[in-house]
Amino acid sequence: MQRQATWRALAATYAVIAGMQVYLAISMNAAWAWALGVVFALAAVGSGFAAWRARRPPAVTDLPELASPVMALARETRNTVNFSSDLRSRH
């Protein structure tokens, strides 16, 4: 739940900054302010989407696979030793 609140606060902050940039763009007729306004508006939308996704627990299909190739290799090689086998039979 705290992640959702963090994303919401970030989305609100970006939305306020985007509004300020649009105000500057209108009052000063500056192209850079329009560009920053669009960038901050997109950041606000992205943060809002992240807040929406944080409200529910991830489904099993949403969970990422193993994070690194080392972990994947460790998963593949785990439990491959058969301690009950006779070592002399491998020669």
Side-chain angles (χ1 to χ4, degrees):
M1 190 58 128
Q2 185 173 355
R3 287 187 325 156
Q4 183 184 15
T6 303
W7 283 115
R8 280 184 183 173
L10 193 59
T13 302
Y14 278 130
V16 168
I17 292 173
M20 292 168 52
Q21 290 298 325
V22 169
Y23 172 75
L24 284 174
I26 292 170
S27 66
M28 294 175 26
N29 199 15
W32 60 268
W34 282 111
L36 283 177
V38 168
V39 167
F40 287 128
L42 290 174
V45 169
S47 298
F49 180 72
W52 175 75
R53 285 201 44 138
R55 69 179 172 87
R56 63 177 177 84
V60 174
T61 57
D62 291 343
L63 294 176
E65 290 295 321
L66 292 173
S68 69
V70 174
M71 293 297 292
L73 182 63
R75 183 185 68 172
E76 295 298 325
T77 59
R78 186 177 39 185
N79 297 329
T80 58
V81 177
N82 186 359
F83 290 108
S84 64
S85 66
D86 186 15
L87 294 177
R88 287 176 270 167
S89 65
R90 294 186 185 180
H91 295 288

